[in-house]
């Protein structure tokens, strides 16, 4: 007799495959019968969540889009300016596990709604801060990070609960594609509003209105209680909390292990360790680029005599617009190209995934180095090589996740993702904007104050990103030495 647990039609967790690895699952007697085809309402709910994710990442990168104006308004040094993104990322990183814990136990719709309302309200409030109270502006960025964490950790779990295995992978991919799109549009919105109104404060008044619409749609369309699947059905959540199926008689269970035992086991999994360090290097580079590239390009143009020094209330923000467009295009193209390259090359080489990641990191580091060297003489070439650098960085996002999913046994995957998120943010993009800014400030202080040294200081500090990118390539290369052995062990 079958109990109506919703589990009898599924393989046990060890036989589940996620992401692109699902293509390799052998055909077995298990057929999913637990749920009918997704209703139109499910797609509508997913669309609302994707729209809110778009606003989420637009808010994330608004500051970077008008960094010149903010730096001038609050009279910030490069080091202090870099701290803005560091405060945001640290608050985001520390709040995410808390909201993951809460979302497992309490109503997710309320957490989502409260998060959207909170971050929209703080963003709107930050547009009225006086130049004398720059510390309140820093505090507001930290609070926006907390609001963002409440959304990023909860929304993917709702999408994962709405759709079956095949559809679920597709819908989560669509959800995550709004990360580069939202990031790029954040630059475009910020620069565009500052240019149209002549006042950068207006950039912080658009996304709260969009957030208000998202909140209304959430209240109207998302049911008060969304059906929660058990862990065997659930796609991995970004929150990193462990979800296990409820105890049911007759349902196969894996032996329970403590969190410490899981962490020790993951520490011995060299494919996981090296690929996580590779991801950390990627996060370091993308965090620094996202914050500082528009400012660097502006300083290069001043040195070349292409634009006048910024002394007006509103600075020339065309670089933010162009960089935003590049981020959107290369993000979408890179994620799709990386997944497709992995799918094809995996058929002929078992080490294809880490080798793709290593190659793309080396090429990206080289492109960024060339862009830095060309900046003083040819701004068009600089834009082109920055675009290629971002493209090859974006290739890795989907592939790195796939590596984790097949080298870690399913009952430890949530813990693995939690650790990977923590390490990649803590050692990556949480500190890189501040570190680049601090190095730049230190170089400026040792030399005569001039536009030339203002440019050189940023150029020299950015070389660190090329070095870290090359290190990331080396980490992925090391992953390839262990990946076959770790994959077999995880499958067993």
């Amino acid at each position: 007799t079958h109990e109506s647990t919703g589990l009898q039609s599924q393989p046990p967790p060890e036989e589940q495959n996620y992401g692109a690895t699902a293509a390799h699952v052998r055909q077995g007697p298990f057929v999913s019968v637990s749920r009918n085809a997704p209703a139109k309402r499910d797609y509508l709910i997913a669309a609302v969540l994707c729209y809110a994710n778009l606003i989420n990442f637009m808010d994330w990168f608004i500051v970077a889009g008008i960094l010149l104006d903010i730096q001038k308004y609050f009279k910030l040094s490069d080091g202090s300016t870099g701290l803005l993104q560091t405060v945001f990322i640290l608050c985001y990183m520390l709040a995410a596990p808390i909201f993951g814990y809460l979302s497992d136990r309490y109503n997710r719709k309320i957490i989502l709604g409260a998060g959207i309302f909170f971050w929209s309200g703080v963003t709107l409030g930050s547009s009225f801060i006086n130049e004398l109270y720059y510390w309140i502006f820093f505090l507001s960025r930290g609070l926006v990070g907390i609001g963002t964490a409440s959304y990023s950790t909860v929304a993917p779990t709702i999408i994962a609960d709405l759709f079956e295995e095949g559809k679920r992978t597709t819908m989560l991919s669509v959800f995550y594609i709004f990360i580069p799109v939202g990031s790029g549009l954040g630059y475009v919105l910020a620069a565009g509003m500052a240019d149209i109104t002549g006042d950068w404060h207006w950039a912080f008044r658009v996304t709260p209105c969009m957030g208000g619409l998202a909140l209304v749609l959430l209240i109207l369309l998302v049911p008060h209680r969304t059906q929660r699947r058990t862990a065997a059905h659930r796609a991995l959540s970004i929150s990193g909390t462990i979800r296990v199926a409820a105890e049911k008689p007759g349902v196969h269970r894996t032996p329970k292990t403590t969190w410490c035992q899981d962490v020790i086991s993951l520490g011995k999994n060299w494919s996981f360790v090296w690929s996580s360090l590779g991801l950390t290097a990627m996060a370091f580079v993308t965090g620094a680029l996202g914050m500082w590239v528009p400012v660097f390009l502006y300083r290069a143009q001043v040195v070349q005599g292409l634009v006048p020094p910024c002394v007006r209330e509103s600075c020339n923000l065309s670089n933010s617009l162009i960089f935003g467009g590049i981020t959107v295009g290369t993000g979408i193209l890179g994620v799709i190209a990386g997944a497709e390259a992995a799918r094809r090359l995996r058929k002929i080489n078992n080490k294809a995934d880490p080798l793709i990641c290593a190659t793309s990191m080396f090429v990206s580091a080289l492109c960024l180095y060339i862009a830095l060297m060309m900046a003083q003489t040819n701004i068009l070439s600089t834009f082109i090589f920055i675009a290629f650098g971002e493209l090859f960085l974006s290739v890795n996002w989907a592939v790195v996740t796939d590596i984790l999913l097949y080298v870690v046994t399913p009952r430890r995957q949530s813990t693995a993702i939690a650790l990977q998120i923590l390490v990649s943010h803590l050692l990556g993009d949480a500190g890189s904007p501040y570190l680049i800014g601090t190095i730049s400030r230190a170089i400026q202080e040792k030399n005569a104050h001039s536009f030339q040294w203002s440019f050189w200081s940023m150029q020299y500090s950015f070389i660190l990103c090329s070095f870290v990118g090359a290190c990331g390539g080396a980490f992925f290369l090391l992953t390839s030495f262990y990946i076959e052995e770790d994959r077999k062990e995880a499958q067993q």
Side-chain angles (χ1 to χ4, degrees), residues 178-246:
F178 280 95
I179 293 176
V181 173
S183 303
L185 289 179
Y187 290 100
V188 174
L189 169 77
M193 284 304 295
D195 189 45
I196 291 167
T197 61
D199 182 1
W200 65 267
H201 292 86
W202 281 96
F204 289 92
R205 295 168 189 168
V206 178
T207 50
C209 298
M210 298 171 71
L213 176 60
L215 190 59
V216 171
L217 292 172
L218 183 81
I219 292 166
L220 295 177
L221 297 175
V222 179
H224 191 62
R225 292 197 175 274
T226 50
Q227 177 194 353
R228 291 176 186 268
R229 290 176 187 269
T230 51
H233 290 88
R234 173 70 61 76
L236 290 172
S237 162
I238 199 169
S239 68
T241 51
I242 301 170
R243 298 174 174 82
V244 291

Side-chain angles (χ1 to χ4, degrees), residues 11 46 109 183 209 212 239 249 271 337 368 372 468 477:
K109 180 177 177 177
S183 303
C209 298
S239 68
S271 295
L368 291 174
L372 293 174
V468 171
L477 209 55

Side-chain angles (χ1 to χ4, degrees), residues 245-257:
E247 294 283 356
K248 295 280 184 180
V251 176
H252 173 72
R253 298 279 305 191
T254 54
K256 282 188 176 181
T257 54

Side-chain angles (χ1 to χ4, degrees), residues 179-181 183-185 187 322-332 390 394:
I179 293 176
V181 173
S183 303
L185 289 179
Y187 290 100
I322 298 168
F323 185 66
I326 289 172
T327 303
V328 172
T330 57
I332 295 171
E390 284 220 303
S394 299

Side-chain angles (χ1 to χ4, degrees), residues 401-419:
T401 304
D402 257 353
I403 289 172
L404 181 147
L405 292 171
Y406 62 68
V407 300
V408 176
T409 187
R411 61 193 163 87
R412 291 197 180 106
Q413 283 172 348
S414 289
T415 303
I417 283 198
L419 286 174

Side-chain angles (χ1 to χ4, degrees), residues 48 87 112 117 147 164 204 221 262 269 285 288 307 344 382 447:
V48 172
V87 168
L112 275 184
F117 179 79
E164 284 287 3
F204 289 92
L221 297 175
D262 286 343
N269 184 329
V285 176
V307 298
R344 290 175 182 272
T382 306
N447 295 280

Side-chain angles (χ1 to χ4, degrees), residues 269-276 403 407 479 482-484 486:
N269 184 329
W270 286 108
S271 295
F272 169 74
V273 171
W274 290 123
S275 62
S276 295
I403 289 172
V407 300
T479 306
Y482 300 94
I483 195 152
E484 289 181 291
D486 288 332

